[in-house]
Structures are given as structure tokens and as C-alpha cells.
Amino acid sequence: MFPQIKTRLLTTLVAVALLIAGLAPTAEAQRRKRRAAIAMPVVKKYPTPQGAPHPRPPRSYDVLNYTIRTRFEESNKTVIGDETVTLKPLAADFKTLVLDAGAMRIESVTLDGSSVQLPWTQPPQKLSITLDRAYQPEDTIAVRIKYRAQPELGIYFVPTNRSSYFGQPRPAQIWSQGEPEENHYWFPCYDFPDDKVTSEQYITTSGNEVAISNGALVETISNDDGTRTFHWKMTQPHGSYLISLVVGDYVKLSDTFKNIPVEYYTYPGTEAAASRAFGKTPQMMAWFSQALNYDYPYNRYAQTVVANFKFGGMENITATTQSDIEILSRTGNQPSTATENLVSHELAHSWFGNLVTCKDWSHAWLNEGFATFMEASFQEHDKGRDAYLAEMMSNETTYFFEDAYQYRRPIVYDRYQQPIDLFDMTLYKKGALILHMLRETVGDELFWKSLNRYLLDNQFRNVVTADLQRAFEQTTGQKLDWFFNQWVYHAGFPELRVRSSYNPATRQLTLNVAQTQTSDAATPEVFRLPVDIELATASGPHTEHIEITQRAQSFTFQLDGRPLMIRFDKGEKILKKLDFPRSRAMLAYQSEHSADRFGRLEALAALASTGGRRVPESLGCYQHPNTTMQQLAAR
């Protein structure tokens, strides 16, 4: 699932502005801050999100398959359903089946193939069925439920818009959205991510409409009343929240990756815009398959645009749903980076989220953090390392905004009011940054090998974060408790106060590093931080590696002359806030000689914040809506 881009851009632009404005305060400003801190120490307190703990619910049965037959009364937004749920008990003497179900009107409940009615009740948001006898774990049960629903969530009826944003009428449509727990509003199910099922749908539409769903289209049946029924079947196990449908007047555009059909469904008249936005999908499939050493896992991949969508996109298995505004409203011959990120994000879920699925929402970063990281991975593959770092800087500033102005929480966290509360910037952006730091910690080769092992060990299964850690430890031979403890199970990030001094008599440079973050039950007092320091003297640049393991620590480097540049965290490898004033001469040198573009941009932005020079055109960032350092530094 992808958050709506417009909201994301707004918060990110504000966050970038705040970050750049504070990159390099003047020496006098630093002295004023220190005097104020001495006079009146302030302990920063971070609120945590509201909500109660949500432990994983106990399971008494394992759903094997849903077969769902639907037709619709669009005039009153009604789903007419006929569903068969096939399951096995997980314990002896199983007599009562409780499914999640919204406020639907149940018409009959029977064993499949029988006309004998089973007793049922409807507690709030549930359907409780008393079976005909006690069943055992070796038994397979198939229950058939006929119902009518006017769902408040889960499925949406969108009318025709004859003066649409896109210059031609936008057809009426019906679409579903299940994540996190909304599919039970339109079909009874076990609506939690820790169960994997197969699914089959028979979707009946009017004669001029198509129905798009998961898996393979088995057949299209022309009915005597002029309607058509589309029979879709998904044979590989998946979470119930990934079951979806879209109904409407669509044009299908066809592409391929290897021998896999790749399909784009769009409104008549918008084919060019859809082709432009979706066109890199086969390249993304090729890169993800190569990087992960795990081919795209399914026999088809489709993307369908819908109107009034709640998010940017949703990774419904083999049948991603995309917001039409995000896909069709872009101009120019090439898609924007934001559009590419949306497309690659949802595709990446085919591996992270669909193939390997979080066991409960407290571990949802294993879905969303990975998909956000893979966005940046494709940008790196397509445009180079600087594009990858631009994504990571964007992730960092967006996450900082949430941390500063909303709340702070660990990334694995089971407290919420509604499951959607967890789908925040901590989950997406910090999740991606954690994977970036893990990549830098173990090295590129071992990182991708570890991800391959994680996928192979857990394919078609549900996972928690310990499964990811195990794959990395087994692959790298390293104990990574320290990394996962501070970054995943605790909250926040290091705030570093760095000061340098150089002794010309001994030619020694000393860096004094203090971790100044306010520690509490969630935020560590001390982060363990491997850091590269980029140094330069008149004889040239070199890099020193340090590891910070204490609240306050000093590091001494032997140089051959006065330092012309000291860059802390070369390559932007760690999530942090940095207070490190340097002379204008040192910043000017870094702006010309740092090893990567972001080292140069960091120095230029710091110079600009103290009245320095403007950013040269040649150092401008990629045209990415979240990387506005050039414009801000040049003000």
C-alpha cells in the first residue's frame, strides 16, 4: 500500500525546509544555544500514538480457500454474495465457526452441497456458525453462505463522471480495498494477515463492463440476461486482505516480462498516459528478480486505475490497484519519480507482503518498509547512487517531520486504535532507512544474499522480524541483536553533537562526539553507530572508520597537515541529526571536493544558511519532488 503522494509531498517539503534551515547554525547561534541550555536544561518528551495493545488473536481453524460469487445492484450500492469457505480445524472437537463479517444480511448458511440450514448468529462484526457436529483437525469443512451487503467499507461504488479531470468521461466503477482489515465488510472471512489461502471469484457485471481480479482469468461466461461472469482463480496462498475486484469499462494494454503477461487497465481515452506511467514495469520486474535472485513469483501482473482511491496504490495480489490521479495526471514524455516510486512500490510487494507476509500488523514494516526501500533500489539501478541517496534523504526528512510534530514509536509496535493507524511514516520511511543502514552494516553482497535467504526460507509463509534477523545472521555469520534492538524494537534516532580540534604541533585531529538525544523507555541513551569520516588535507582525501559505542567519545586521527575537510558520515549511511559546526573555509572546500554529490550539497546548504554562495546548476538534485535542497540552499 502506498500513501497518497500529495500529502507525502507536503509534509516532506516542510520537513526538508526545517532540516536545511538548521543544518549549519552560526557560531554565535551555537554559543547562544549552549548558554540557554546551561541556564535552563530542557528534556524533550515525545508522545506515543494512542491505542491499546493488540496481541495476535488466537486461531481455531485454518482457512484453505474462499470461493466468492458476487453481483451488484449499483443503484443502492448492494453486493449480492454467495460464498464457500473451505477450512480445517486446528484443534479437536471444533463445533463453532466464527468469521469476521460486517453488517450484512445473511440469507442462508449450509454445508456446501447440503440444503440443511446451519444455525448462526451475528455478534458485532462477526458471523458465528454452529456446525452440524464436532470436527477434528483431519477433517475438511466447506460452509456456504448467501448474503446481501451494503458495505460502509471494503468495497466502493463510484458513479460516472462526465466532466472528469482527464478530459473525457470517467466511467462508473466498483472497486475493493481490503488492507488492513476491511474485506470482511463485503464477504465473510478470517480478516487478519496470519492466514494464507487460495481464492476463486465469479464476478457478474453488465455486458459492457469487465471484472479484474486476482490470479488467472479462467473463463468469461455470457449469461442469458445480457450480463457476463468473469471467473478468476488464484492458486498460490495469500492473505485474505489481498483478495480484490475492480469492475468497470476498461481498456486493457498488454506488455510482458519474460513469459509473464503484464497488463495495464485504464479508462478509454487515457491509454497514452497509462502507457507512460506503467511503461517501466517490466524493467522493475527484471531488476527486482535479479537483485533478489528470486524471479517474480506469480503467473501474471496487472495494474488498474480507479477513481477516488483511498491511497496511492494497493498491492492486491497479481492485480494492483492504482489511484487514477497519481497515474494519469502526469504530463511530459516520462513519468515523474513519484509515479515511478508508486509503481515500483506496489510491484515490490509481490515479494515483500504478498509472497512473504507479516504475521500481524505490528510487524507491517516487513511489508511497507521493504516496498519503500525497493523504490530507492530501482532508482539506484535506473539512475545511479545519487538517485538512491536522494530517496533516502527524502525518507529521512519525512520521518523527522512525523517524529518532531506527531509522535515517536518503535517500528515494531502493537498499540493502536485501528490497524490503519500503524501505516505511518515510521512504518514506511524509517522502515526503508533501517534497511538502508542494514545494507551499509553488512555490505552490499551479503545484504542481497540475506534477502534471498529470507525469501526462500519464508516463501508463502507469515513472518515476524525475528525471521528477517535470522536470515541475516545465518548468511553473514554476524550477531545483529544490537542492530535490531536499537533500530527496530526501540524508537528514535541519535542526535549527535560533534566538535573538532586540530593540534598543529602533533598533527592530530580530535573529534569529540556526544549523543544528546533524550533517552526514555523507548529511545536508547546510546546508539551503536559505525561511521565513515571523510578527511582531506593538502595531500588529498582519505576515509577513516569509527564505531561510536558510548554517550560521549573522542576519536584521534593522525594527519599529515591541517584538515581542509571533515565530513561526518560519508555516504549518508546512518539515520541521525547532526550538530557539527565547521568553518566557512572548510565547508567551501567540502562543497567542491567531497566524494559524492550529497556531501557537496550538504556543505552548500550549510553555506547558504549562513549567507554563503548559491548552489551551482551543475550540482542540482535529480528532478525529484522530495529533494529540494538546491532550491532551498539557493534562496
Side-chain angles (χ1 to χ4, degrees):
M1 188 161 61
F2 197 88
Q4 285 189 320
I5 291 172
K6 290 179 180 177
T7 302
R8 184 181 64 136
L9 295 187
L10 177 61
T11 57
T12 300
L13 289 170
V14 173
V16 171
L18 292 170
L19 180 70
I20 300 304
L23 269 175
T26 63
E28 178 56 32
Q30 285 291 320
R31 286 192 291 271
R32 286 198 300 269
K33 286 182 179 179
R34 285 197 293 271
R35 287 196 296 268
I38 293 170
M40 187 180 294
V42 174
V43 177
K44 194 180 267 187
K45 293 185 178 180
Y46 291 93
T48 56
Q50 298 297 308
H54 283 72
R56 195 174 305 131
R59 286 177 58 197
S60 58
Y61 58 89
D62 175 25
V63 178
L64 305 178
N65 182 76
Y66 296 103
T67 298
I68 309 165
R69 300 168 179 84
T70 50
R71 54 192 176 90
F72 309 97
E73 291 178 357
E74 297 181 39
S75 59
N76 56 11
K77 300 181 179 180
T78 297
V79 178
I80 303 169
D82 180 351
E83 172 192 28
T84 300
V85 184
T86 305
L87 64 136
K88 291 183 76 68
L90 292 175
D93 300 322
F94 180 76
K95 187 70 185 292
T96 303
L97 169 62
V98 180
L99 295 167
D100 298 301
M104 54 185 66
R105 191 176 83 203
I106 305 299
E107 296 180 340
S108 70
V109 180
T110 61
L111 291 176
D112 194 36
S114 168
S115 60
V116 178
Q117 291 287 320
L118 296 176
W120 51 269
T121 60
Q122 286 184 273
Q125 297 295 306
K126 301 289 182 183
L127 172 61
S128 179
I129 302 166
T130 302
L131 300 174
D132 61 322
R133 62 178 176 85
Y135 288 84
Q136 308 307 318
E138 60 269 21
D139 295 326
T140 299
I141 311 164
V143 175
R144 186 170 183 178
I145 305 162
K146 295 183 179 180
Y147 61 94
R148 295 174 70 93
Q150 293 178 310
E152 59 188 77
L153 296 169
I155 202 164
Y156 301 86
F157 294 77
V158 180
T160 300
N161 184 342
R162 300 198 179 279
S163 57
S164 79
Y165 180 82
F166 306 110
Q168 60 277 319
R170 186 199 64 207
Q173 55 202 254
I174 304 167
W175 50 262
S176 67
Q177 166 56 32
E179 192 180 29
E181 296 175 12
E182 295 183 6
N183 267 345
H184 71 274
Y185 288 93
W186 68 276
F187 69 94
C189 60
Y190 177 83
D191 206 356
F192 199 75
D194 66 337
D195 189 22
K196 294 263 186 171
V197 302
T198 58
S199 62
E200 192 167 9
Q201 291 197 63
Y202 295 81
I203 307 163
T204 298
T205 75
S206 63
N208 66 327
E209 293 180 316
V210 298
I212 303 143
S213 188
N214 318 105
L217 180 61
V218 178
E219 60 181 334
T220 303
I221 304 164
S222 296
N223 303 313
D224 293 341
D225 62 358
T227 63
R228 292 192 296 174
T229 298
F230 293 80
H231 177 194
W232 291 90
K233 191 169 186 176
M234 183 68 209
T235 59
Q236 291 162 293
H238 54 277
S240 62
Y241 73 91
L242 296 168
I243 295 173
S244 71
L245 62 80
V246 179
V247 173
D249 179 12
Y250 283 96
V251 175
K252 182 175 82 171
L253 309 177
S254 296
D255 208 336
T256 58
F257 165 65
K258 295 184 176 179
N259 61 341
I260 297 170
V262 178
E263 303 165 356
Y264 317 131
Y265 291 89
T266 191
Y267 312 141
T270 64
E271 292 89 340
S275 294
R276 179 175 62 245
F278 292 137
K280 286 188 178 181
T281 301
Q283 293 172 244
M284 295 170 182
M285 297 172 79
W287 167 243
F288 292 164
S289 298
Q290 175 190 331
L292 298 167
N293 195 25
Y294 193 114
D295 282 345
Y296 174 77
Y298 307 111
N299 62 356
R300 161 184 174 261
Y301 186 63
Q303 297 174 86
T304 304
V305 299
V306 301
N308 305 340
F309 198 52
K310 299 167 67 174
F311 307 105
M314 175 61 205
E315 65 274 14
N316 300 310
I317 192 162
T318 72
T320 287
T321 305
Q322 303 280 29
S323 166
D324 59 4
I325 292 294
E326 306 297 351
I327 294 296
L328 301 178
S329 62
R330 309 296 173 180
T331 58
N333 295 323
Q334 295 295 324
S336 69
T337 302
T339 302
E340 285 185 358
N341 284 346
L342 170 57
V343 172
S344 64
H345 181 104
E346 303 307 340
L347 172 64
H349 277 304
S350 300
W351 291 266
F352 302 104
N354 297 3
L355 177 69
V356 177
T357 310
C358 64
K359 192 169 284 187
D360 61 58
W361 301 122
S362 72
H363 292 271
W365 83 282
L366 298 172
N367 297 12
E368 299 300 347
F370 265 103
T372 308
F373 173 83
M374 294 303 288
E375 296 173 35
S377 166
F378 179 73
Q379 291 298 326
E380 180 178 26
H381 169 73
D382 196 43
K383 299 185 179 74
R385 180 71 176 181
D386 284 346
Y388 170 84
L389 288 177
E391 292 297 321
M392 289 304 157
M393 292 182 71
S394 165
N395 293 335
E396 184 178 85
T397 52
T398 309
Y399 162 65
F400 281 160
F401 186 84
E402 178 177 87
D403 181 86
Y405 295 102
Q406 293 183 265
Y407 53 73
R408 171 176 289 185
R409 69 171 181 89
I411 200 162
V412 171
Y413 194 71
D414 72 347
R415 293 176 178 267
Y416 52 84
Q417 295 176 354
Q418 301 294 330
I420 195 65
D421 297 344
L422 295 179
F423 287 73
D424 58 10
M425 293 303 101
T426 298
L427 193 76
Y428 288 78
K429 305 303 186 177
K430 189 177 184 183
L433 289 160
I434 288 170
L435 292 167
H436 166 64
M437 291 187 287
L438 187 56
R439 180 186 184 184
E440 297 299 332
T441 297
V442 304
D444 208 55
E445 182 179 358
L446 287 175
F447 175 80
W448 293 108
K449 283 184 177 180
S450 298
L451 291 189
N452 173 258
R453 184 168 197 156
Y454 171 68
L455 293 172
L456 289 173
D457 287 352
N458 299 291
Q459 56 191 343
F460 304 109
R461 293 180 54 214
N462 294 95
V463 291
V464 294
T465 301
D467 296 303
L468 178 68
Q469 182 177 342
R470 184 181 307 110
F472 269 83
E473 291 184 339
Q474 290 175 347
T475 304
T476 65
Q478 301 178 34
K479 289 297 291 179
L480 293 168
D481 286 341
W482 66 272
F483 182 93
F484 283 85
N485 184 55
Q486 72 184 21
W487 290 118
V488 176
Y489 301 113
H490 282 82
F493 49 86
E495 298 179 40
L496 302 175
R497 180 183 183 274
V498 179
R499 297 295 183 268
S500 64
S501 61
Y502 175 68
N503 186 331
T506 61
R507 295 184 176 179
Q508 286 187 330
L509 170 70
T510 299
L511 287 184
N512 295 309
V513 182
Q515 300 193 38
T516 62
Q517 67 273 6
T518 300
S519 62
D520 53 28
T523 306
E525 182 179 19
V526 177
F527 284 84
R528 176 176 165 183
L529 304 170
V531 180
D532 285 341
I533 311 295
E534 185 181 14
L535 301 170
T537 63
S539 62
H542 74 283
T543 300
E544 298 278 358
H545 183 79
I546 64 173
E547 185 154 312
I548 302 168
T549 58
Q550 300 172 32
R551 183 78 172 175
Q553 214 165 343
S554 293
F555 301 90
T556 301
F557 310 96
Q558 190 67 48
L559 304 182
D560 59 7
R562 180 175 294 279
L564 302 176
M565 174 179 65
I566 309 169
R567 184 184 174 201
F568 190 90
D569 188 24
K570 175 186 175 183
E572 303 294 330
K573 295 180 179 181
I574 60 172
L575 172 65
K576 65 190 180 303
K577 283 189 176 178
L578 181 63
D579 170 13
F580 184 21
R582 283 148 290 173
S583 69
R584 289 177 52 73
M586 195 171 281
L587 290 169
Y589 187 94
Q590 179 177 324
S591 73
E592 298 290 342
H593 298 95
S594 186
D596 62 71
R597 173 172 292 184
F598 287 90
R600 301 193 291 276
L601 285 169
E602 174 198 15
L604 287 162
L607 284 166
S609 72
T610 57
R613 58 183 154 171
R614 300 169 72 88
V615 180
E617 292 273 338
S618 61
L619 287 178
C621 289
Y622 286 94
Q623 292 303 306
H624 185 294
N626 293 343
T627 51
T628 57
M629 191 176 285
Q630 176 184 357
Q631 296 94 320
L632 290 165
R635 61 176 187 243

